[in-house]
Structure formats: C-alpha cells, structure tokens
Amino acid sequence: MRFNESGDPVGVERLGIALEPEAEYERRPDGSGGCEDPRVTFVEPLQRYIMSYTAFSPQGPRIALALSEDLFHWERLGLTTYAHWHGIELGNVDDKDASLFPVAIPNSSGKLELGMLHRPLFPGTRPEETACHPTSREVDLDRESIWISYCPPALKNHDPDRLGRFTSHHRLATPVSPWERLKIGAGTPPILTKHGWMIVYHGVSEAAGTRSNGRHLCYSAG
C-alpha cells in the first residue's frame, strides 16, 4: 500500500504474482485456464494462511487450496475433495466462491471442525436458466445457493498439508430477495463480530430493461 504525506492510502504497489496457472487442474488443453477468485484466511488452529481459489480445470471450475506462512510464498494443496452428498459426487460438480472460517466451528453434530463456504453449480441452476422461471420470493432450493462443508482431519492432526475430505455438507443460504433471485455466492471470508459471523456475499438478478434478444444480469453485494 502507498500512502501520502498525510498518511492516507493513495495506491498499491504490485509485488508479483502469488499463483498462476501451472498445475494440471488449473490449465485446459486449449491453453486457457486460471487461478481466480482467491479468498485468504489465517486459520488460527493451523497457524497458516490458506487461500481458497477457483481453478479452471479441464472438467470446469473447481475449488483448490494453497498454503502460506508469510503471504508471499504459496504451496499448492490441490483440489478439495468431498464426501458424497445424497449420492452426488460433489467433486464432479462445478464449484466457486469458497472461503474458510478462521477458527474451528461446530458442525451439524456439534463437533469442532474446519468450515468452508462454497457454491456448487448444479446442472439446471445457472442464472441463464433460472432467469426463465417465474419471479418468486419463496426459497427455491433449485437455485444456486451458499453451502457449508466441514473438514475434520485438519484440526485434529494440526497438519495443514493434509486437510482431508470435506464432509457434512448442507445448504446454508438460498436466494430469497428480488436482487438475489437467480443465485447467491459467498464473497469475503467470514468475520466474527459480537453479533455473530458476518460475510459480504453477492446476489444476481436480471438487470432492468432486459432486452428480448438477451438477458442482462445484475450483480449486487449484501
């Protein structure tokens, strides 16, 4: 960060690239790919920074993790792995918008584990498809929602290099307001306040004045 004589921030200095597409799961045969949408959390039980990001693999967008002690040097941990959810292999589902909690949180059984927010993109739930559905403020479980999954081995063994599988998946938040009627997704990593956990998340709706020859989407933060 650059500051003026009064101490106010006036700009930033780019020091380099933290991660660029190098791993097989970050590159596609046509030369495209990417390491995108990073969220960095200092996970206190592990005493490490963990970056969750979207790796554009040959199979589609997937959640990948990287580890750092100083925010300058990053070690890839690979793609996240998941236990099955009602017969669905979540590792084969497109996924984005992942962020980790900074401390252990209770899972659905009350056990303290590492929690991760993410947004699976199940077939048939993309905004381009759900925009054709009637407008409704009722909770629609078929639309893209924020999910939470838990990873038990990471905190039990205090080994950040082997996070293990994420389990105990459940839907955390679904689109209920007009400005988020097509989908929602996590934004910032969760921050603990005296009122509870807070995140800034995004919602997607149709932009006003959408033309008949194409739908325009509007992203908002909430």
Side-chain angles (χ1 to χ4, degrees), residues 104-123:
I105 59 173
N107 66 8
S108 55
S109 301
K111 296 181 180 180
L112 294 178
E113 297 180 343
L114 178 64
M116 181 179 73
L117 303 178
H118 58 121
R119 204 273 311 285
L121 296 98
F122 295 104

Side-chain angles (χ1 to χ4, degrees), residues 147-163:
W147 285 60
I148 186 168
S149 298
Y150 301 88
C151 182
L155 303 184
K156 184 182 300 183
N157 302 325
H158 295 280
D159 185 0
D161 295 323
R162 297 182 180 181
L163 288 183

Side-chain angles (χ1 to χ4, degrees), residues 178-198:
W179 62 271
E180 59 183 18
R181 87 172 191 94
L182 299 183
K183 71 172 180 178
I184 58 175
T188 61
I191 300 171
L192 184 59
T193 74
K194 66 179 181 180
H195 301 292
W197 290 102
M198 181 184 73

